[in-house]
Amino acid sequence: MAQRKSPASGKPTAARGPVGSANGGSARKSTPGATGAPDRTSPRGGKGPATRPPARKGKGKGKSIVNQKQTPWGLIITTIAVVAFAAAVVVVVVATHKSGKGSTTAGATSTTKGGQTVDKNDPYRQPEIAAAAAIKGVTYRVEGQHNHVAGHITYDASPPVGGNHSAYWADCTGTVYSQPIASENAVHMLEHGAIWVTYNAKTLPASGLAELKTYVAGVDRLALSPYPNLKAPISLQSWGYQLFVNSASDPRIAQFIATLKYNQKTTPEYGASCSQPTFKQHPSTFGNPLAAPAQ
């Protein structure tokens, strides 16, 4: 059997015809740009180097992880926290500002008296009644604090017209005290609807004192006592209300008592007793309040 001869060096082997060609004719060559399938040259014997497919653009598996942009969640969370904190501060400041101007809960008014807010739903913060306001010289201040406190208390008025006080009230059943009593005990009796009549022993004449006693002695919800360094000869106090006068014959004394003594609209603890026999027997002294009956 004859052996095939190898082609001469440097000469390409002639292309075989297609399988099944009867005559073994030359193979067809695809011309670039011609109609039909593109020239896909085999790397094993074709012309020219094999072309690589173009790199895929855009997002895909071929994108480098190093080049991807990371979402700055830490910065975003910090920014949100700072904004929320600033908003909370603004809300607190606004609320505090409104509170300082007398803004209160539902049912309250925006009026203030003596720096405290009027609230018609609170028996200690009632609006000033018209009958008292009609009396010339009467002043009114809201006294919302009313806790029982032991020991000495500094008040916002002299004599005081309300506020924190001793748990032990002064007897106010028409009692006439010859010596000054502690304000802390007297304020508690104001809470029960009493009128506390005070006088300056240095400036009120004896005749004036005798006349004051006719208003007070034996009349329930009234008490009379001297008060050190009183700025006027006489003053009258009920819870929140006060009147200073120079003479015991001033008709406003009777008006004040008639209007405010045990008035349901001005008495924070309406219904509470004014009787305190142990205090009447052993009263406190000015600046030395009693928290319980003296031993």
Side-chain angles (χ1 to χ4, degrees):
M1 185 172 181
Q3 295 181 353
R4 292 181 182 176
K5 295 182 179 180
S6 299
S9 178
K11 293 182 180 180
T13 304
R16 295 181 181 179
V19 176
S21 173
N23 299 323
S26 300
R28 293 180 183 176
K29 297 182 180 179
S30 299
T31 305
T35 303
D39 182 18
R40 298 178 180 178
T41 308
S42 170
R44 301 183 65 178
K47 297 178 180 180
T51 57
R52 294 183 179 179
R56 297 175 64 185
K57 295 183 179 181
K59 295 181 179 180
K61 295 182 179 180
K63 187 175 180 180
S64 173
I65 296 177
V66 177
N67 293 331
Q68 292 180 4
K69 293 183 178 180
Q70 300 295 323
T71 303
W73 291 112
L75 178 59
I76 292 173
I77 293 172
T78 302
T79 302
I80 292 173
V82 170
V83 171
F85 177 76
V89 171
V90 171
V91 170
V92 171
V93 170
V94 172
T96 304
H97 181 67
K98 288 184 177 181
S99 177
K101 289 190 174 183
S103 176
T104 59
T105 56
T109 70
S110 59
T111 305
T112 60
K113 285 285 186 177
Q116 297 185 34
T117 307
V118 172
D119 186 346
K120 63 183 180 181
N121 296 322
D122 186 340
Y124 293 89
R125 296 176 176 272
Q126 291 296 298
E128 183 179 13
I129 62 173
I135 302 173
K136 185 178 180 180
V138 169
T139 59
Y140 175 65
R141 61 189 304 121
V142 175
E143 292 291 352
Q145 283 70 40
H146 53 91
N147 295 323
H148 291 169
V149 177
H152 177 70
I153 299 172
T154 300
Y155 288 102
D156 55 8
S158 182
V161 296
N164 295 333
H165 49 268
S166 170
Y168 185 49
W169 67 87
D171 185 87
C172 46
T173 56
T175 312
V176 176
Y177 296 97
S178 59
Q179 299 296 323
I181 61 175
S183 295
E184 294 81 359
N185 301 117
V187 168
H188 195 158
M189 72 180 181
L190 299 183
E191 187 180 38
H192 293 187
I195 301 295
W196 181 24
V197 183
T198 56
Y199 63 93
N200 188 328
K202 295 179 180 179
T203 59
L204 182 68
S207 59
L209 177 57
E211 190 170 357
L212 284 182
K213 289 180 180 180
T214 64
Y215 284 106
V216 176
V219 180
D220 190 38
R221 310 288 166 171
L222 287 173
L224 172 67
S225 71
Y227 190 88
N229 302 315
L230 188 66
K231 70 178 185 179
I234 302 168
S235 71
L236 295 91
Q237 290 72 223
S238 69
W239 190 274
Y241 295 87
Q242 190 167 52
L243 173 66
F244 291 94
V245 297
N246 294 322
S247 171
S249 60
D250 193 313
R252 293 177 296 170
I253 296 175
Q255 293 174 4
F256 188 96
I257 294 172
T259 301
L260 295 167
K261 180 174 71 72
Y262 201 46
N263 186 321
Q264 190 169 1
K265 294 181 179 180
T266 62
T267 301
E269 289 190 357
Y270 192 81
S273 174
C274 242
S275 177
Q276 192 70 276
T278 55
F279 187 92
K280 188 175 182 178
Q281 294 169 3
H282 301 285
S284 61
T285 58
F286 191 79
N288 299 286
L290 290 173
Q295 299 299 321

